[in-house]
């Protein structure tokens, strides 16, 4: 009798016996773990999933604006289906430290739930998604394996900008939408007015809307019933050759890259060899598991299910989001390719100490594997050494990425000023490097081309959607016009709410527009944007010089109309941030060779006349003149050391 059968036999006869000492392999210990937690044999564990028919599987996501209660609703669904104990903790699926500290979801999380409805067993694959505009790529990726979504709206806040964006994202994917109004228990809740908004914007009828309180659990059972009744089963086939879509991945230091896959056709078992359509590499399946929400190992996963596969992918480049996996030596048609969202904001990232370069490189590669919206290319700087130019989906995305680098990997990154991607149409490219159609693309101020060879510059434009209470419309309009916005639409959506649409330069909104909008609207306005293309623009490069030496890491690309104001603001800020030296520092803002702003950082001064006791005034003047001469020489040879905090504080409003 095999040792696993011995364990099984003894387990049923004496459940309190410790069998760990007779488990001779990791595989046997894993089987023991399943027995102890499920009180069943390994075959019984797998039978639970093999018996699930395709028509009893439901794949869905929860989408909403920030802080409308997505993670709280996910907690109630986990409790009602028995996946977790009641009151076992808040936001179970928000397991990153940065998510717990900020109170937001930044990574979509999956959980497979067993649910019995009218005597029939169902498998519900839930995906909890982020709500901030910077993480819309996570939402888009999460919708790939889904057939329906729960559109969650706060009964107090009503329809917000990201609600509108997520609705049309789901409509584009042809998904079934279940509208749910949350937080009906709040004192200021106005569910009837929210219903009118949904009818005005999306033509959703009141009879289709479910009212709940995710915090108290009121009405959540109706959401589960609607998921089963309204969302169709996945359009998959068990009898076809195995084919699966990678829609998420992360790195494990023991197993390498782990892929979260949605199985479109066939089934996959441990020991089988699979091949990537994208990289053409083959791997042997080592482990399979379901997230319930804790990882639960199984022998086999079938069509319609969402599971994790570990197959010794050592490189992060092997796990490509949107890739199709199939059995080795079997040819299949690739599934619909998922295109990663294009980065909009670029910053230079450098290690605080160059000796930590390799450590940070490994950390960035592992985080980039888990975040399809990050674009990484090598870069170098005279002042900061070797580093990377990293593209992000927004400023919050960048802040979260840097925070994860520090918390999860102990790295200390130095981040330069953010920039966007510009284009330049060249007059004559005979004397410079050739570019397609004479169009030069750049996102680094250090690569800003000479204006003498540029016919026209182009900057990225976004279509911004703003929803605000009516009393703040005037000041919101002024803010958009100040950011060089062009009004496109103004629409009353009821409940004293107005929806505005503006064409805005991306460079004007990446740093402080969201904060400014919240400030002028007392926190009530919401904001979302989407790409709109490129338009001609009169942009220029603003250089920052310290004692006549240009610091490229502090350079910026701005519109010509804002050169003086931006240069003055940046110089004043640097004067307050840069620590004082033993010599005077001149901080200058330079545009096209002309100084448009200047601040002077005074030097530390020792009182060289303190030892004088009386005497002629010329003695005092001689000592002061000698000190001034020494300061002048020190300024010529002195090295200005910018601390790491300087680059970070420059970003803050």
């Amino acid at each position: 009798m095999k040792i696993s059968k011995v364990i099984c036999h003894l387990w049923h006869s004496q459940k309190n016996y410790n069998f760990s000492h007779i488990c001779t392999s990791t595989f046997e210990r894993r089987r023991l773990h399943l027995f102890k937690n499920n009180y069943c044999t390994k075959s019984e564990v797998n039978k639970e999933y093999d018996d699930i028919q395709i028509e009893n599987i439901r794949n869905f996501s929860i989408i909403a604006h920030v802080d409308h209660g997505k993670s709280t609703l996910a907690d109630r669904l986990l409790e009602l289906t028995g996946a977790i104990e009641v009151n076992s903790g808040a936001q179970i699926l928000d397991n990153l430290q940065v998510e717990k500290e900020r109170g937001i979801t930044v990574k979509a999380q999956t959980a497979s739930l067993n649910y019995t409805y009218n005597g029939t067993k169902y498998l519900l694959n839930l995906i909890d998604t982020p709500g901030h505009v910077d993480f819309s790529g996570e939402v888009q990726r999460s919708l790939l394996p889904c057939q329906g979504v729960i559109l969650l709206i706060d009964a107090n806040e009503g329809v917000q900008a990201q609600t509108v964006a997520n609705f049309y994202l789901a409509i584009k994917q042809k998904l079934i939408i279940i509208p749910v109004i949350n937080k009906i228990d709040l004192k200021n809740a106005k569910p009837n007015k929210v219903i009118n908004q949904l009818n005005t914007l999306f033509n959703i009828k009141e009879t289709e809307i479910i009212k709940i309180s995710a915090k108290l659990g009121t009405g959540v059972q109706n959401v589960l019933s609607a998921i089963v009744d309204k969302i169709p089963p996945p359009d998959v086939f068990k009898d076809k050759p195995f084919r699966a879509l990678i829609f998420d991945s992360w790195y494990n230091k023991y197993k390498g890259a782990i892929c979260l896959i949605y199985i479109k056709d066939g089934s996959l078992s441990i020991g089988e060899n699979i091949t990537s359509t994208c990289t053409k590499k083959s791997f042997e399946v080592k482990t399979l598991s379901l997230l319930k929400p804790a990882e639960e190992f199984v022998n086999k996963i079938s069509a319609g299910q969402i599971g994790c596969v570990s197959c010794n992918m050592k490189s992060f480049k092997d796990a490509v989001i949107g890739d199709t996996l199939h059995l080795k030596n079997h040819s299949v048609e690739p599934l619909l390719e998922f295109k990663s969202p294009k980065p909009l904001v670029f910053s230079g990232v450098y290690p605080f100490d160059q000796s930590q370069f390799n450590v940070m490189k490994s950390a960035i590669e592992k985080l980039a594997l888990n975040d399809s919206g990050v674009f990484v290319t090598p870069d170098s700087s005279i002042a900061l050494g070797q580093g990377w130019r990293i593209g992000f989906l927004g400023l919050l995305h960048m802040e979260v990425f840097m925070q994860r680098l520090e918390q999860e990997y102990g790295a200390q990154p130095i981040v330069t000023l953010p920039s966007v991607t510009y284009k330049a149409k060249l007059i004559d490219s005979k004397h410079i490097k050739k570019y397609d159609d004479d169009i030069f693309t750049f996102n680094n101020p250090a690569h800003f081309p000479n204006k003498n060879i540029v016919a026209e510059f182009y900057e990225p434009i976004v279509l911004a959607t703003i929803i605000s209470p009516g009393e703040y419309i005037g000041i919101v309009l002024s803010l958009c016009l100040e950011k060089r916005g062009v009004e496109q639409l103004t629409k009353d959506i009821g409940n004293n709410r107005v929806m505005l649409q503006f064409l805005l330069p991306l460079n004007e909104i990446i740093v402080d527009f969201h904060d400014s909008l919240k400030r002028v609207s007392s926190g009530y306005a919401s904001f979302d944007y989407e790409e709109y293309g490129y338009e001609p623009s009169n942009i220029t490069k603003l250089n920052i010089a310290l004692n006549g030496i240009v610091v490229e890491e502090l350079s910026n690309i701005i519109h010509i109309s804002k050169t003086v104001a931006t240069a003055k603001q940046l110089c004043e800020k640097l004067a307050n941030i840069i620590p004082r030296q033993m010599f005077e520092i001149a901080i200058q803002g330079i545009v096209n060779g002309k100084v448009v702003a200047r601040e002077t950082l005074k030097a530390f001064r020792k009182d060289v006349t303190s030892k004088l006791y009386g005497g002629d005034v010329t003695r005092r003047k001689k000592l002061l003149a000698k000190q001034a001469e020494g300061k002048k020489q020190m300024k010529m040879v002195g090295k200005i050391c910018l601390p790491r905090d300087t680059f970070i504080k420059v970003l803050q409003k």
Side-chain angles (χ1 to χ4, degrees):
M1 185 181 291
K2 292 184 179 179
I3 190 169
S4 57
K5 292 184 179 179
V6 174
I7 295 172
C8 179
H9 175 74
L10 292 176
W11 172 250
H12 283 285
S13 61
Q14 190 178 359
K15 292 179 180 177
N16 294 324
Y17 188 78
N18 184 9
F19 305 103
S20 300
H21 66 284
I22 63 172
C23 295
T24 57
S25 67
T26 304
F27 180 68
E28 296 294 345
R29 285 192 292 271
R30 185 180 299 124
R31 296 184 67 162
L32 175 61
H33 173 75
L34 287 173
F35 302 151
K36 293 175 69 175
N37 285 279
N38 295 282
Y39 301 99
C40 59
T41 65
K42 185 165 180 281
S43 60
E44 289 171 343
V45 172
N46 290 323
K47 192 173 186 298
E48 179 184 357
Y49 305 107
D50 292 339
D51 288 343
I52 295 292
Q53 301 298 318
I54 292 176
E55 57 268 21
N56 295 336
I57 297 176
R58 301 291 184 269
N59 300 325
F60 67 99
S61 290
I62 304 176
I63 57 176
H65 190 77
V66 177
D67 200 30
H68 279 206
K70 297 180 299 300
S71 298
T72 305
L73 175 58
D75 284 351
R76 298 294 84 75
L77 294 177
L78 291 173
E79 290 175 357
L80 286 175
T81 55
I84 61 173
E85 296 181 0
V86 178
N87 298 324
S88 57
Q91 281 82 47
I92 295 297
L93 297 183
D94 289 347
N95 49 25
L96 297 177
Q97 184 178 345
V98 63
E99 292 177 321
K100 295 174 181 177
E101 290 179 356
R102 291 176 176 263
I104 61 174
T105 302
V106 301
K107 277 295 299 176
Q109 298 292 338
T110 304
S112 298
L113 313 175
N114 293 325
Y115 177 58
T116 302
Y117 179 64
N118 291 337
T120 304
K121 288 184 178 181
Y122 290 88
L123 178 63
L124 311 181
N125 292 313
L126 156 69
I127 304 178
D128 181 26
T129 65
H132 195 277
V133 60
D134 282 7
F135 305 101
S136 58
E138 285 287 309
V139 179
Q140 183 181 357
R141 173 184 60 74
S142 301
L143 296 183
L144 291 177
C146 294
Q147 286 74 50
V149 297
I150 297 174
L151 182 66
L152 203 63
I153 305 100
D154 191 322
N156 191 35
E157 300 291 337
V159 175
Q160 301 291 292
Q162 192 66 19
T163 310
V164 178
N166 286 335
F167 175 83
Y168 287 111
L169 199 60
I171 289 294
K172 186 178 180 181
Q173 298 282 349
K174 299 180 181 179
L175 304 179
I176 299 299
I177 297 176
I178 302 176
V180 177
I181 297 178
N182 188 25
K183 303 184 182 181
I184 59 172
D185 58 301
L186 294 180
K187 182 180 179 181
N188 297 323
K190 302 172 184 176
N192 292 330
K193 292 185 177 180
V194 177
I195 291 172
N196 293 333
Q197 289 180 354
L198 291 173
N199 184 262
T200 302
L201 283 173
F202 311 132
N203 197 27
I204 295 176
K205 298 179 181 178
E206 182 177 357
T207 54
E208 302 173 9
I209 301 172
I210 303 173
K211 301 175 185 177
I212 69 167
S213 169
K215 182 178 180 180
L216 302 179
T218 307
V220 178
Q221 189 67 51
N222 296 332
V223 176
L224 278 172
S225 302
I227 291 170
V228 175
D229 292 335
K230 295 183 179 181
I231 297 178
D235 183 19
V236 297
F237 302 93
K238 278 189 175 181
D239 54 349
K240 287 189 176 182
F242 169 73
R243 189 170 56 150
L245 177 75
I246 300 178
F247 71 97
D248 197 6
S249 59
W250 57 89
Y251 187 83
N252 183 286
K253 61 182 179 180
Y254 302 111
K255 300 178 182 179
I258 297 178
C259 301
L260 187 63
I261 61 173
Y262 166 58
I263 302 182
K264 178 69 174 176
D265 298 318
S267 60
L268 183 65
S269 301
I270 294 176
E272 291 185 312
N273 291 310
I274 56 175
T275 301
S276 163
T277 303
C278 181
T279 64
K280 308 299 181 185
K281 294 182 179 180
S282 297
F283 307 93
E284 182 185 352
V285 177
K286 297 297 183 182
T287 61
L288 294 171
S289 60
L290 299 176
L291 301 177
K292 302 197 63 185
E295 192 173 14
E296 196 169 284
F297 294 96
V298 294
N299 252 354
K300 179 181 178 181
I301 50 179
S302 303
Q305 292 184 328
I306 295 174
C308 301
V309 56
S310 170
C311 50
N312 284 351
M313 287 185 178
K314 299 300 183 183
S315 172
F316 73 99
K317 296 180 181 179
D318 293 333
V320 181
I321 303 297
D323 190 11
T324 300
L325 298 177
H326 60 87
L327 291 178
K328 188 177 180 181
N329 300 325
H330 283 71
S331 59
V332 297
E333 288 292 326
L335 294 167
L336 180 64
E337 183 180 355
F338 169 71
K339 295 182 179 179
S340 299
K342 294 181 179 179
L344 299 177
V345 179
F346 290 82
S347 283
V349 178
Y350 303 88
F352 184 72
D353 188 341
Q354 282 296 306
S355 63
Q356 298 297 313
F357 177 82
N358 291 330
V359 175
M360 185 174 288
K361 179 182 178 182
S362 176
I364 290 175
E365 288 177 350
K366 292 171 184 176
L367 274 186
L369 170 67
N370 191 224
D371 195 337
S372 59
V374 172
F375 180 76
V376 183
T377 54
D379 196 11
S380 61
S381 164
I382 296 176
L384 301 175
Q386 294 293 319
W388 304 268
R389 191 77 179 171
I390 303 183
F392 304 95
L393 301 177
L395 199 64
L396 177 63
H397 186 203
M398 183 181 75
E399 291 177 358
V400 168
F401 189 88
M402 296 306 150
Q403 190 171 342
R404 291 186 67 187
L405 270 182
E406 294 183 5
Q407 292 177 346
E408 298 176 25
Y409 297 96
Q412 289 186 313
I414 297 176
V415 187
T416 63
L417 283 167
S419 179
V420 301
T421 300
Y422 297 93
K423 294 182 179 180
K425 184 177 182 180
L426 305 180
I427 297 175
D428 182 9
S429 59
K430 292 180 181 179
H431 305 294
I432 60 174
K433 183 180 179 180
K434 292 281 184 179
Y435 300 97
D436 294 338
D437 300 324
D438 290 335
I439 296 294
F440 175 43
T441 302
F442 60 98
N443 56 59
N444 192 338
H447 301 155
F448 191 87
N450 192 323
K451 285 194 172 184
N452 295 330
I453 60 171
V454 176
E456 198 167 32
F457 286 104
Y458 301 89
E459 68 176 339
I461 305 296
V462 297
L463 178 62
T465 301
I466 301 171
I467 296 180
S468 170
E471 58 265 29
Y472 298 107
I473 289 301
I475 195 166
V476 170
L477 285 170
S478 298
L479 175 64
C480 293
L481 294 174
E482 180 187 338
K483 299 294 184 179
R484 300 189 285 126
V486 178
E487 187 175 355
Q488 299 293 302
L489 173 69
T490 302
K491 182 178 181 180
D492 188 351
I493 61 173
N495 193 20
N496 192 32
R497 296 252 172 186
V498 179
M499 183 173 73
L500 304 172
Q501 285 191 328
F502 270 83
L503 291 180
L504 287 164
L506 180 60
N507 190 42
E508 296 284 351
I509 67 172
I510 59 172
V511 176
D512 63 346
F513 181 80
H514 189 265
D515 292 339
S516 299
L517 179 65
K518 287 293 185 182
R519 186 177 65 252
V520 301
S521 65
S522 301
Y524 289 110
S526 62
F527 170 66
D528 181 67
Y529 62 86
E530 58 186 76
E531 294 182 68
Y532 194 78
Y534 282 78
E535 289 189 0
S537 178
N538 191 6
I539 58 174
T540 188
K541 180 181 179 182
L542 169 64
N543 287 319
I544 298 297
L546 303 180
N547 284 347
I549 301 175
V550 174
V551 182
E552 284 289 352
E553 291 73 24
L554 296 176
S555 298
N556 205 354
I557 301 173
I558 57 176
H559 192 265
I560 194 70
S561 63
K562 299 194 172 185
T563 53
V564 177
T566 306
K568 185 177 180 181
Q569 180 184 13
L570 195 53
C571 288
E572 289 177 351
K573 196 167 190 177
L574 286 170
N576 294 324
I577 294 174
I578 298 175
R580 293 173 67 185
Q581 312 284 328
M582 293 302 295
F583 50 89
E584 185 180 275
I585 299 176
I587 307 171
Q588 297 173 312
I590 304 173
V591 177
N592 296 329
K594 180 182 178 181
V595 177
V596 296
R598 174 186 169 121
E599 290 290 329
T600 302
L601 186 63
K602 297 296 183 182
F604 285 122
R605 181 177 177 182
K606 181 180 178 181
D607 189 1
V608 294
T609 63
S610 60
K611 295 182 180 180
L612 291 180
Y613 300 99
D616 191 71
V617 71
T618 55
R619 295 182 62 197
R620 182 181 297 271
K621 289 182 178 181
K622 277 184 181 180
L623 287 174
L624 292 175
K626 186 176 181 181
Q627 185 189 40
E629 186 66 26
K631 294 286 185 183
K632 186 177 180 181
Q633 293 179 3
M634 188 181 293
K635 183 178 179 180
M636 295 173 62
V637 299
K639 183 178 180 181
I640 302 172
C641 296
L642 294 182
R644 170 176 175 264
D645 291 345
T646 300
F647 300 95
I648 298 174
K649 291 178 180 177
V650 165
L651 297 177
Q652 298 173 347
K653 180 66 178 174

